[in-house]
Amino acid sequence: MGEFEAKYAGGAASGPTAVTRRASLLTRNRAFDGYKITDRRGKREAWLQPPDITVRRIVFVGLWVAVQLVVLIYKWVAVGQKAGTLRGFSAATMACLMVSISAIFLFMSPALLELLRRTVLSRYVVFEKNVHAHKIAAYTMAFWSVAHVITYYYIFHAGAAASKGKATFGGKLFGTKVGRTGHALLFLFVFLFATSVPAVRRRFHEVFYWMHHLFVPCVVLLFVHGSAESFQWYIVGPGSIYVLDRLYRFVRSRTKRPRILAVIQHPSNVIELKIERRGMRFQVGQYIYLNVPSISALEWHPFTLTSAPEEEELSVHIWVGGDWTRRLVQRFQDTAVTTLEHKGVELLMHHLRGEIDPASGLPRAGVSTQYNRRTSDASRRPWSRPGRNSTVLLDRLPPEIDFRMSGAYVHPTARVADSQAAVKLPTIMVDGPYGAPTQQVFDYEHIVLVAGGIGVTPMSSVLKSLYYQLTEARHTCRIRKVYFLWVCRDVQALEWFQDLLAALDEEDIGDILEIRTYLTGQMPVEQIRNIALYQDPGGPDAITGLHRSPTYYGRPNFNSILEDIGLRTPGADIGVFFCGPKPMGRSLRKITRKWSNQFRYTNTKFVFHKENF
């Protein structure tokens, strides 16, 4: 095993004594560097850990705090001079709360941010982090809400005590317009925040999604609770931008409803959805929002595009982990056409078009077939075949055959009315594309792609585009080296993009692309022994079938990996792009900082880009 390969597998553990001598030899000769490395992290949830501290985050938080302090002090002084210190402070806290809500409206206007991202501002502002900015504004809103409530409780208590029995504390709390609307807002804020914590958002996404729409009654109550003047200054402008943004996305998503081309069910609860592109322009790593009206007319879910800009269709890989995705899979399974021969589908299509010769029952001379029309595109996509354990639910149905035949054989000359139990495919709507950190990948000549599990989706788009650049326009490709590291828990997950990796492995681009796959899930000793026994030292990898890219067992040693890459590429800016679990991203960010400082004398710099799922 070479020096680079030896460094790329970290934390190796000795195997059990039951492994045969031949397996032990293979362990030393190939990438069989270790077995399952147990996860020794504590039981503390990852979302409870403190966030990463970066220069951009420090600058943003500093500016945000400064804006809040300016609003607080100005409003406190302006109102306090007329109505007293307490009234001034309560008005100031309400003003800061309004500013936070206004910022949330702007942060959650993706069409506006996508427009700004195309300007020179993108050099200084990471617009892809709008959700993080929205969270900071939400935490600030919660802080000022508590401060405002406490201040008013004190004002009401003091007023009741000074009235000498004419007014009661409870009467002021619930007998006035300010008290009633204030408590209603407090109840909605608590409910909204309680359903937004990661533990609820990840396990019950639909609850989180629908409860987030409580912002609508919150805005109405804010108008009633405060003065129309303050509402006009703080809410009308940003709120109008948000409404226009939503209206624009609403119209755009309904003007072009793409047709479903294929649905493939992959192992490890992942489905691949291929749809028409309909002229959409996008870059690698970007994402779109999908909506299926038959499931929910209002739910939109983001999915990263796994297709390359050079391809003629869009594809997304969807991890089935919630109620919405489960219902989506059920819709596709209900309309699956795996029982109908593709030849029969194509002949029926030509019959509907009047292109069938009645004498022979075959397409007339000169009529191109469905497969002939797609031959040129398919030849450019050697990864279009499904994996060994994948199931094709739907595959490239023509528009005229947008239904299922209930498993019965359909004669090529049958009329549509003669077919049984037609079930229409689900209608889908697409909104996007929107920016993501990975789309900056081709700004670098040296690239490190790190994916954890389903986080491989943006990397798939990058690798496909790289394939087209190296095979069809190599003279214009400025990429000098790409390292791709994919960490998976189980063997089946590697089949999601097995054909893509095989196509890249077979091409003569080994000097540019290096692929490393890692298995971290627990494997039975018997399975380990079988892999070792049937692994040919001179043949393809027993897991992935790749010739140049071995599979490692255990978590990658990022420290050694980046050290080795830094020594290989002195004086270069190396883009490190990560998509996966947050703990892995935190660890990788720290290591990139470490080696950027260590290689400062050679002007080698690791630039980290993170995208979490």
Side-chain angles (χ1 to χ4, degrees):
M1 179 165 29
E3 180 182 357
F4 181 73
E5 285 81 358
K7 289 185 177 183
Y8 260 57
S14 59
T17 58
V19 179
T20 63
R21 181 177 180 273
R22 174 171 170 77
S24 300
L25 290 175
L26 289 175
T27 300
R28 293 195 292 270
N29 291 336
R30 283 297 297 257
F32 219 74
D33 289 87
Y35 303 110
K36 164 67 178 177
I37 301 176
T38 57
D39 191 352
R40 293 184 175 86
R41 289 178 297 166
K43 295 183 178 180
R44 193 168 98 169
E45 292 283 351
W47 62 275
L48 292 176
Q49 299 178 5
D52 294 333
I53 300 177
T54 62
V55 175
R56 281 195 175 98
R57 183 165 291 180
I58 292 174
V59 171
F60 174 78
V61 173
L63 291 175
W64 179 253
V65 172
V67 169
Q68 296 286 322
L69 288 177
V70 169
V71 174
L72 177 70
I73 295 173
Y74 172 78
K75 199 70 174 179
W76 194 350
V77 173
V79 178
Q81 291 177 347
K82 301 176 182 179
T85 302
L86 280 178
R87 292 284 182 179
F89 182 75
S90 66
T93 55
M94 175 56 70
C96 291
L97 188 149
M98 290 283 199
V99 169
S100 301
I101 295 176
S102 302
I104 291 175
F105 280 132
L106 297 178
F107 293 151
M108 299 312 292
S109 299
L112 170 66
L113 298 180
E114 186 65 20
L115 183 64
L116 295 176
R117 191 187 59 79
R118 301 175 184 175
T119 66
V120 69
L121 293 175
S122 60
R123 298 180 182 178
Y124 313 101
V125 181
V126 184
F127 291 103
E128 295 83 7
K129 299 294 183 180
N130 63 312
V131 176
H132 296 277
H134 143 266
K135 291 179 180 179
I136 293 176
Y139 294 142
T140 308
M141 183 184 74
F143 173 80
W144 292 122
S145 299
V146 173
H148 187 75
V149 169
I150 292 175
T151 303
Y152 251 99
Y153 266 49
Y154 183 83
I155 292 174
F156 283 160
H157 182 271
S163 67
K164 298 180 180 180
K166 295 181 179 179
T168 62
F169 180 57
K172 286 185 172 292
L173 288 180
F174 302 101
T176 61
K177 182 189 73 172
V178 173
R180 290 193 298 269
T181 56
H183 281 92
L185 280 168
L186 181 63
F187 172 78
L188 292 179
F189 283 167
V190 170
F191 205 70
L192 195 150
F193 274 91
T195 56
S196 301
V197 296
V200 176
R201 188 178 70 245
R202 293 182 182 276
R203 298 176 185 177
F204 309 99
H205 183 82
E206 285 73 17
V207 174
F208 156 77
Y209 179 85
W210 287 110
M211 290 302 103
H212 243 56
H213 285 78
L214 290 175
F215 81 90
V216 176
C218 285
V219 171
V220 175
L221 287 172
L222 278 172
F223 177 77
V224 178
H225 181 75
S227 63
E229 181 182 357
S230 62
F231 189 89
Q232 173 184 349
W233 278 103
Y234 295 112
I235 301 297
V236 172
S240 299
I241 293 175
Y242 175 79
V243 171
L244 290 175
D245 188 277
R246 292 203 68 161
L247 286 175
Y248 167 74
R249 290 183 285 130
F250 177 85
V251 174
R252 181 177 63 175
S253 63
R254 282 157 176 79
T255 53
K256 295 181 179 180
R257 298 191 179 188
R259 188 170 57 88
I260 299 173
L261 298 177
V263 181
I264 302 174
Q265 186 170 346
H266 292 291
S268 300
N269 294 328
V270 170
I271 63 169
E272 179 182 358
L273 177 63
K274 298 181 180 180
I275 58 179
E276 289 180 322
R277 184 164 175 170
R278 294 290 180 94
M280 178 183 293
R281 297 181 180 180
F282 66 95
Q283 301 179 41
V284 293
Q286 290 188 314
Y287 67 94
I288 58 176
Y289 284 92
L290 289 183
N291 172 267
V292 181
S294 61
I295 297 178
S296 175
L298 299 178
E299 285 192 51
W300 292 83
H301 293 263
F303 297 102
T304 302
L305 290 169
T306 57
S307 52
E310 294 83 356
E311 294 182 307
E312 299 176 359
E313 60 189 26
L314 303 178
S315 67
V316 293
H317 284 64
I318 303 173
W319 179 64
V320 184
D323 293 338
W324 188 87
T325 53
R326 292 190 185 97
R327 293 198 297 268
L328 178 63
V329 172
Q330 187 61 45
R331 290 287 193 281
F332 290 137
Q333 289 175 342
D334 292 342
T335 57
V337 292
T338 54
T339 55
L340 185 64
E341 295 182 359
H342 292 283
K343 184 177 180 181
V345 172
E346 186 173 0
L347 290 176
L348 180 57
M349 176 194 72
H350 290 301
H351 171 74
L352 294 175
R353 291 177 174 173
E355 299 172 347
I356 295 294
D357 184 3
S360 63
L362 297 175
R364 300 178 187 274
V367 174
S368 62
T369 66
Q370 176 78 6
Y371 297 103
N372 287 339
R373 286 194 297 273
R374 297 184 181 272
T375 298
S376 60
D377 183 52
S379 63
R380 300 173 67 235
R381 295 182 288 108
W383 50 79
S384 59
R385 303 178 304 272
R388 292 183 302 243
N389 296 321
S390 301
T391 303
V392 179
L393 299 181
L394 299 166
D395 189 16
R396 309 195 182 284
L397 294 179
E400 295 86 347
I401 315 295
D402 200 12
F403 52 78
R404 174 176 68 91
M405 302 302 182
S406 72
Y409 174 74
V410 180
H411 193 273
T413 60
R415 300 190 306 271
V416 176
D418 296 334
S419 60
Q420 302 179 19
V423 179
K424 287 192 67 66
L425 296 176
T427 300
I428 62 171
M429 293 185 292
V430 176
D431 178 35
Y434 294 107
T438 315
Q439 67 188 72
Q440 306 173 38
V441 65
F442 292 126
D443 293 342
Y444 301 88
E445 294 182 351
H446 302 270
I447 305 167
V448 181
L449 305 175
V450 182
I454 196 62
V456 72
T457 51
M459 313 309 173
S460 168
S461 179
V462 174
L463 294 176
K464 289 179 180 179
S465 183
L466 178 66
Y467 175 88
Y468 287 119
Q469 293 182 40
L470 295 178
T471 56
E472 300 181 3
R474 190 159 188 166
H475 60 283
T476 61
C477 182
R478 60 188 296 264
I479 304 300
R480 301 180 63 182
K481 192 68 176 180
V482 177
Y483 304 91
F484 173 56
L485 297 88
W486 186 11
V487 185
C488 296
R489 281 191 169 273
D490 52 69
V491 176
Q492 288 75 20
L494 294 174
E495 288 200 19
W496 299 341
F497 299 98
Q498 183 177 11
D499 290 313
L500 170 61
L501 299 182
L504 294 169
D505 188 68
E506 293 171 1
E507 290 294 328
D508 187 20
I509 55 176
D511 56 332
I512 295 181
L513 175 65
E514 293 194 29
I515 302 173
R516 297 292 181 269
T517 53
Y518 297 84
L519 286 176
T520 61
Q522 186 174 2
M523 297 176 62
V525 175
E526 188 64 28
Q527 185 178 6
I528 296 172
R529 182 189 296 112
N530 292 336
I531 294 173
L533 288 175
Y534 289 99
Q535 174 66 67
D536 183 3
D541 185 80
I543 298 295
T544 62
L546 306 182
H547 291 267
R548 305 178 185 179
S549 308
T551 300
Y552 295 97
Y553 298 83
R555 292 196 298 270
N557 190 337
F558 291 124
N559 190 62
S560 297
I561 293 171
L562 295 187
E563 178 188 9
D564 189 85
I565 294 175
L567 293 173
R568 289 181 173 204
T569 54
D573 285 350
I574 305 170
V576 181
F577 294 85
F578 169 79
C579 184
K582 288 184 178 180
M584 186 186 298
R586 291 192 181 100
S587 174
L588 187 58
R589 182 191 291 275
K590 293 179 181 177
I591 295 173
T592 55
R593 289 177 184 168
K594 169 188 172 182
W595 287 112
S596 290
N597 294 329
Q598 292 285 342
F599 289 117
R600 191 180 305 170
Y601 66 94
T602 63
N603 293 324
T604 302
K605 182 180 180 181
F606 291 95
V607 184
F608 185 71
H609 303 264
K610 183 182 70 169
E611 181 179 353
N612 294 124
F613 55 77

